[in-house]
Amino acid sequence: MTTDLAELGELAEALATEAGELVEEMRAPLAIDGLEANATTKSSPGDLVTAADRAAERAIIDGIVATRPTDAILGEEGGQRAGTSGVRWLVDPIDGTTNYVYDIASYSVSIAAEVDGVLSVGVVYNPKTDTMFSGLIGSGARRNGVTISCSTASDLGTALVATGFGYVAERRRGQAEVLAHLLPEIRDIRRFGSAALDLCAIACGQVDAYYERGLNPWDLAAGTVIAREAGATVGDLRGGQPSPEFVLAANPALFLELRERLTDLAADQRP
Ligand code: LIP
């Protein structure tokens, strides 16, 4: 089984588009209360998962297995397969489920592929706006086929910074404490509600930096490839890879300044 990155990217885009059409079809007839009534919760009452999350993940996994049966898969809603090809797919069928339930146009299908443990392909599709972000390692990042790049902002004091918050009260309290210190020192924050789209906003310069604590690998994987291919640095606060402990993304200059400030605030040490 070949690991041609362009082929992996084409498969990911096709499956993300198909899954996006499915979730839009499933959403159309339901009002918010209908969706929320059909949703269940995971880590807390605010952590929603809908039938569309599950159906979209099933469709994506079926598509991968039909095309590349020896690949490994890790899906947010429980889809998990071992593999022997060296390729592992990370799938978030709807990143930003709360926005999906509330019909706020900031949710995405996020599909990434690791090749021999290296994040190599990322696709993030917003079905509400029909916007496809993609990135292949070494080949740049695109939005609807047009090359994108991160901002060149170098001054934290005029930086527009995206962030997000977890679902558990104790963690949210710590995240709010960090934000209370940071907010007076930056231009402003944006809270879009989808880590994958936050990282794509970095990739196309719509925000200058993004940080968050407590995400899952499938939230981060595709957006990390896209942001890196657009020239951004994506990592944690200790010189490592982005992880559930922490993710920070920005152009290289701003990354270092914001990493220092977030480290001072113990942003990755709070609950
Ligand atoms: C979401 C993340 C977002 C975070 C939300 C939630 P989900 O993922 O993309 O960045 O702030 O709390 O975790 O749960 O919608 O797939």
Side-chain angles (χ1 to χ4, degrees):
M1 182 65 69
T2 65
T3 54
D4 179 276
L5 296 188
E7 286 181 13
L8 297 180
E10 287 163 12
L11 176 59
E13 286 197 27
L15 294 175
T17 302
E18 176 192 338
E21 289 167 354
L22 176 62
V23 303
E24 289 305 292
E25 286 164 13
M26 290 181 76
R27 193 197 188 292
L30 294 172
I32 290 173
D33 54 1
L35 268 170
E36 199 168 13
N38 292 307
T40 55
T41 59
K42 296 187 287 188
S43 61
S44 73
D47 189 359
L48 297 172
V49 59
T50 69
D53 289 88
R54 296 189 186 92
E57 182 166 298
R58 182 74 268 147
I60 293 166
I61 291 174
D62 289 350
I64 293 170
V65 172
T67 312
R68 300 181 56 89
T70 60
D71 289 358
I73 302 172
L74 173 63
E76 176 173 20
E77 306 313 338
Q80 194 159 347
R81 284 172 63 94
T84 57
S85 68
V87 174
R88 180 174 78 138
W89 298 89
L90 295 96
V91 177
D92 189 340
I94 304 177
D95 187 54
T97 298
T98 301
N99 287 339
Y100 175 70
V101 169
Y102 280 80
D103 200 20
I104 297 170
S106 184
Y107 52 90
S108 59
V109 179
S110 178
I111 302 174
E114 278 177 352
V115 179
D116 297 328
V118 177
L119 272 178
S120 302
V121 176
V123 163
V124 175
Y125 178 58
N126 182 333
K128 195 73 176 179
T129 62
D130 192 23
T131 307
M132 180 71 74
F133 292 94
S134 61
L136 301 185
I137 197 167
S139 301
R142 288 167 179 77
R143 175 176 57 190
N144 289 341
V146 178
T147 299
I148 51 178
S149 59
C150 66
S151 85
T152 57
S154 57
D155 172 29
L156 188 58
T158 56
L160 188 62
V161 180
T163 191
F165 309 107
Y167 291 113
V168 177
E170 191 184 9
R171 166 148 295 172
R172 294 168 70 82
R173 186 170 294 107
Q175 290 169 324
E177 289 167 355
V178 169
L179 188 58
H181 289 285
L182 194 62
L183 188 58
E185 302 170 359
I186 60 177
R187 182 189 300 275
D188 204 350
I189 70 139
R190 293 291 181 270
R191 199 296 194 238
F192 296 123
S194 162
L197 289 177
D198 288 326
L199 288 162
C200 291
I202 287 284
C204 60
Q206 289 181 315
V207 294
D208 300 309
Y210 164 64
Y211 73 90
E212 190 163 353
R213 173 169 169 73
L215 293 168
N216 292 299
W218 46 76
D219 293 317
L220 293 170
T224 293
V225 177
I226 294 165
R228 283 174 172 164
E229 286 305 309
T233 300
V234 187
D236 65 7
L237 297 187
R238 299 170 185 280
Q241 294 301 313
S243 72
E245 291 309 307
F246 212 84
V247 59
L248 172 62
N251 71 57
L254 195 57
F255 181 94
L256 293 175
E257 184 177 3
L258 186 49
R259 182 173 72 178
E260 183 177 349
R261 185 67 182 114
L262 289 168
T263 302
D264 292 344
L265 293 171
D268 63 346
Q269 299 302 302
R270 296 169 186 262

